[in-house]
Amino acid sequence: MAQTLAVIGTGYVGLVSGVCFAEHGNTVWCMDVDQDKIERLRRGESPIYEPGLEPLLQRNLHEGRLIFTEDLRQAIHHATVVFLCLPTPPDQDGSADIHYVLDTARAIAEIVAHDGIDRLRILVNRSTVPVGTTEQVQTLVRQVAPSADIRVASNPEFMSEGNAVQQTLNPDRVVVGSSDPDVITVLRELYQPFVDDYDRPLLVMDDKSAEVTKYAANAFLALRISFMNELSRYCESVGADIELVRTGISLDPRIGRTYLHPGIGFGGSCLPKDIRALVRSAHQVGMSLQLVEATANINAEQLHRFVERIRHRFGGSLARRRFAVWGLAFKPNTDDVRESPAHKLISALLADGATITAYDPEAMDTTRRVLGDRIEYARDMYSALDGADALIVATEWAEFRMPDWDNIKSRLQENVIFDGRNLWHPNMMQVLGFEYHSIGRRSVFPGV
Ligand code: UDX
């Protein structure tokens, strides 16, 4: 049966969750403190670039199942289930700062107590939070609203940007962290259209295990990437090809194919932040998670090494060198540049005196907000190359894969490419007449 829900926070997680719940017939009140964002959403405009999101947003808005508001009281008034989809930014020491979650839970409890709402309210935390947060929120709402029936559960999301709508509508699994049979019944009913008992189940576990599951998933994905990145350095040293090794291992079903692509490291709003928070959380109980710590160190080192290779190629200094950078988003199919390896790379090149002209199909505006006029922005991927000493590929957008090679050659000063995402094959690049450096494979030089 369709329900009335509230989603607090219309960032990536909140907006995609809200739209997908509405798509399955629920009435969803989405609340955010950012008035501009709410106004854009009311007009049916998505504030983020996410494939497939805007048409679903517009349809559900039009059909009256999605309502946007800045008013928390209005948002929660009719809702039986309230989802908290709030940021948990890193603190100075890397721990997740949960004050948005706590402040909002407190405000909700105050409204429920003040308005005398006695219906069951389920407060579901969907933000990535350290273990024990669900318990902490439950204690807090009990103190603030002792006579109200507010039950708190954990329901971490696993959506990946660029594919978030499809993943939310067809999740691999839904994790519900609660030991309360009433809560489990309500959430089971809500998620029934999304799951399938056989291969896309809803898993019920205690709240602490659900909280750890989220960190464990992201840490494991990051670990796979760092493993391949570390191995890519080994392959470079011994003359092996990491892409052949990747294929060789990934066909083993015990290993699988995903998250094995070597590159200039992982970025984004989740993986780097979550592994730092997990490491901190372990420190707080007197433990060090050695593999997770190594994962973070290898990631930083991978980017550093790539910059060193570029520096070395140009005689130890990048002063007065000009580079074209293709790709600014932390990965393709998004305009998100949070903790983007491309941005880190550009900052390192700039610090060494280089001039950068960049191009990205979606992330030019988001980059301008961060890097401003420290770099130049090209109209298209080819004009970025004019007069550059080398092309550097930082993000593997599909449109970069089959370029017009003659056009590239006519614009570059020298036919040098540093490919941080292994878009092309070294043999092909050699035949095409490029000096080509990639990750975990031999460098090739024209005519050699
Ligand atoms: C991630 C998790 O996948 C998602 O489940 C969680 O909810 C949030 O964090 P996201 O940040 O959208 O999602 O990005 P993801 O697709 O996982 O990629 C993260 C980073 O790893 C990107 O910078 C990407 O370029 C890099 N990556 C990914 C690699 O370098 N190699 C790979 O093989 C895969």
Side-chain angles (χ1 to χ4, degrees):
M1 195 185 69
Q3 306 189 33
T4 301
L5 314 172
V7 173
I8 313 303
T10 58
Y12 247 105
V13 172
L15 184 58
V16 174
S17 304
V19 167
C20 292
F21 283 134
E23 182 65 10
H24 277 310
N26 300 287
T27 301
V28 188
W29 290 78
C30 293
M31 184 269 168
D32 202 291
V33 290
D34 182 338
Q35 206 168 332
D36 273 1
K37 207 192 251 185
I38 291 295
E39 271 157 25
R40 286 182 68 182
L41 286 165
R42 281 191 187 126
R43 293 196 297 268
E45 280 172 38
S46 170
I48 47 172
Y49 171 75
E50 183 61 40
L53 183 60
E54 210 164 67
L56 290 195
L57 163 71
Q58 289 168 358
R59 184 165 70 222
N60 286 285
L61 195 63
H62 182 70
E63 292 182 7
R65 288 193 297 262
L66 262 180
I67 307 130
F68 293 99
T69 177
E70 303 105 83
D71 185 345
L72 183 62
R73 171 171 269 107
Q74 190 186 33
I76 65 163
H77 212 81
H78 303 285
T80 39
V81 186
V82 179
F83 287 90
L84 300 182
C85 300
L86 296 158
T88 51
D91 243 341
Q92 269 167 354
D93 68 356
S95 341
D97 174 355
I98 58 166
H99 86 272
Y100 292 112
V101 173
L102 295 179
D103 293 352
T104 309
R106 177 190 297 281
I108 291 171
E110 281 168 358
I111 294 170
V112 172
H114 177 271
D115 295 4
I117 302 170
D118 53 8
R119 242 167 326 124
L120 165 66
R121 278 279 190 292
I122 301 174
L123 202 52
V124 182
N125 183 42
R126 221 158 145 64
S127 317
T128 302
V129 291
V131 63
T133 303
T134 305
E135 204 172 76
Q136 204 179 334
V137 173
Q138 182 69 74
T139 309
L140 174 76
V141 297
R142 254 195 217 116
Q143 280 162 359
V144 176
S147 55
D149 189 5
I150 304 177
R151 304 190 200 169
V152 185
S154 161
N155 171 219
E157 51 74 32
F158 301 98
M159 61 181 76
S160 144
E161 292 182 21
N163 197 19
V165 173
Q166 274 319 309
Q167 276 179 349
T168 305
L169 290 172
N170 305 292
D172 310 309
R173 77 293 200 195
V174 170
V175 171
V176 167
S178 173
S179 312
D180 180 326
D182 295 337
V183 170
I184 296 165
T185 304
V186 172
L187 293 182
R188 244 190 221 295
E189 198 175 316
L190 178 64
Y191 276 113
Q192 194 264 326
F194 295 83
V195 300
D196 165 337
D197 286 347
Y198 296 101
D199 59 353
R200 296 186 288 110
L202 181 138
L203 303 174
V204 177
M205 56 182 82
D206 64 276
D207 49 270
K208 285 194 172 141
S209 303
E211 289 164 339
V212 175
T213 298
K214 169 68 196 200
Y215 280 107
N218 278 356
F220 192 69
L221 296 174
L223 186 145
R224 286 172 68 100
I225 300 168
S226 276
F227 174 77
M228 292 305 284
N229 283 340
E230 185 171 55
L231 213 60
S232 75
R233 296 177 211 159
Y234 174 71
C235 285
E236 279 164 28
S237 301
V238 299
D241 180 330
I242 190 70
E243 292 298 338
L244 297 177
V245 175
R246 181 173 64 80
T247 313
I249 62 171
S250 67
L251 291 171
D252 182 332
R254 293 171 300 176
I255 295 173
R257 298 172 188 223
T258 58
Y259 285 81
L260 294 179
H261 291 275
I264 53 170
F266 56 82
S269 63
C270 297
L271 260 44
K273 163 177 92 69
D274 290 352
I275 61 174
R276 282 197 297 270
L278 181 58
V279 164
R280 279 304 306 162
S281 168
H283 285 176
Q284 280 157 9
V285 293
M287 276 189 69
S288 77
L289 295 176
Q290 295 178 44
L291 271 178
V292 185
E293 290 185 23
T295 296
N297 295 339
I298 292 167
N299 199 46
E301 175 68 13
Q302 187 72 358
L303 189 83
H304 177 72
R305 260 201 96 242
F306 191 64
V307 174
E308 273 309 311
R309 286 171 70 194
I310 299 173
R311 196 177 282 132
H312 179 74
R313 163 63 179 76
F314 291 99
S317 165
L318 301 180
R320 289 182 298 282
R321 294 288 178 181
R322 169 178 283 278
F323 297 107
V325 174
W326 280 3
L328 295 164
F330 82 95
K331 66 174 189 180
N333 299 322
T334 177
D335 62 355
D336 196 339
V337 293
R338 286 176 288 175
E339 298 225 22
S340 170
H343 276 206
K344 290 187 179 149
L345 169 73
I346 288 173
S347 298
L349 299 177
L350 289 175
D352 213 25
T355 304
I356 306 290
T357 306
Y359 174 74
D360 187 285
E362 292 295 336
M364 301 288 262
D365 288 343
T366 44
T367 294
R368 238 187 228 105
R369 278 179 231 143
V370 181
L371 296 178
D373 57 11
R374 294 174 63 208
I375 63 168
E376 290 163 29
Y377 300 88
R379 273 188 326 278
D380 56 68
M381 60 194 247
Y382 295 108
S383 54
L385 304 162
D386 289 332
D389 291 294
L391 160 64
I392 304 174
V393 178
T395 316
E396 67 278 29
W397 283 91
E399 67 185 78
F400 299 156
R401 284 184 193 273
M402 292 179 72
D404 174 347
W405 297 110
D406 289 336
N407 198 348
I408 293 181
K409 281 189 189 166
S410 71
R411 290 168 187 261
L412 282 175
Q413 294 266 18
E414 289 183 73
N415 293 333
V416 179
I417 297 180
F418 278 87
D419 179 358
R421 298 291 174 186
N422 287 357
L423 289 190
W424 304 297
H425 197 283
N427 292 351
M428 179 186 93
M429 298 308 280
Q430 190 166 33
V431 170
L432 286 167
F434 284 96
E435 175 183 328
Y436 178 65
H437 306 274
S438 57
I439 306 287
R441 304 182 296 181
R442 71 195 166 95
S443 290
V444 293
F445 300 86
V448 180

